[in-house]
Amino acid sequence: AERTSFLDLCKDYALIAEKNEVYLCMECHNNTFTNCLEGAKRLMESVNSKNFLMYWQPNQFLSFQENIEYAKEISPYTKVIHVFNWLKKEKFPLADGIDTWAEYLKFFPENILCLLEFMPDNNILSLPVEADALKKIKSRRLTL
């Protein structure tokens, strides 16, 4: 009953978003309806709105291959990608994940918006280095 009520609310909000020409996006997150591919796809297919989409990010607790499958399947419903480089609870510089991210991005449109979500050391002064790594990921993706 709770799931059905949630889906109905999302459909109602999607109609409001369409009427107002805005997007509502759900984020792929642990401990939520979208914590797994099946839940996210079910949500997107149930709501079925071009204005109700996803923010995709890899799940740092899943394997690379599981995240690749998630990216492949959810890409048609994705508006924005949150970019970071974590393994479980440990954060790493984005430059260490360029190859991994280039693989993820293969499944999304070339012009998809990618946002840096975290600094690996929680220091805003790392932003230029992380931004440079994101630029390398985007350019590397174009050459694959």
Side-chain angles (χ1 to χ4, degrees):
E2 184 178 349
R3 184 174 299 206
T4 300
S5 176
F6 174 70
L7 292 173
D8 288 343
L9 278 173
C10 289
K11 290 174 191 175
D12 292 343
Y13 293 146
L15 289 173
I16 294 168
E18 288 175 20
K19 288 177 186 171
N20 289 281
E21 299 178 0
V22 298
Y23 292 93
L24 295 178
C25 295
M26 303 297 284
E27 188 170 354
C28 298
H29 245 288
N30 290 320
N31 304 314
T32 70
F33 197 83
T34 59
N35 71 339
C36 66
L37 173 59
E38 295 78 23
K41 276 189 72 174
R42 181 175 177 189
L43 175 61
M44 292 296 106
E45 290 170 355
S46 294
V47 174
N48 190 28
S49 169
K50 63 181 177 58
N51 291 68
F52 191 91
L53 299 169
M54 295 292 302
Y55 287 164
W56 184 80
Q57 62 193 37
N59 183 323
Q60 71 268 25
F61 296 101
L62 297 180
S63 70
F64 170 74
Q65 193 55 44
E66 290 170 307
N67 280 314
I68 285 288
E69 289 304 313
Y70 202 151
K72 266 190 227 180
E73 294 291 321
I74 209 67
S75 63
Y77 308 103
T78 301
K79 182 75 174 163
V80 175
I81 298 176
H82 287 174
V83 180
F84 55 85
N85 189 22
W86 286 20
L87 180 59
K88 301 202 184 306
K89 293 185 179 184
E90 195 170 352
K91 297 176 185 177
F92 299 97
L94 191 54
D96 295 349
I98 288 174
D99 292 339
T100 298
W101 271 100
E103 288 297 315
Y104 291 151
L105 291 183
K106 284 181 181 180
F107 303 102
F108 297 93
E110 188 176 307
N111 63 344
I112 192 149
L113 181 61
C114 294
L115 300 175
L116 289 170
E117 189 167 13
F118 300 102
M119 296 301 104
D121 56 3
N122 296 323
N123 186 339
I124 192 65
L125 297 176
S126 299
L127 181 58
V129 172
E130 293 296 287
D132 186 54
L134 180 54
K135 288 177 189 174
K136 288 177 183 169
I137 291 166
K138 295 283 278 190
S139 66
R140 167 105 193 237
R141 177 205 192 251
L142 297 175
T143 62
L144 291 177

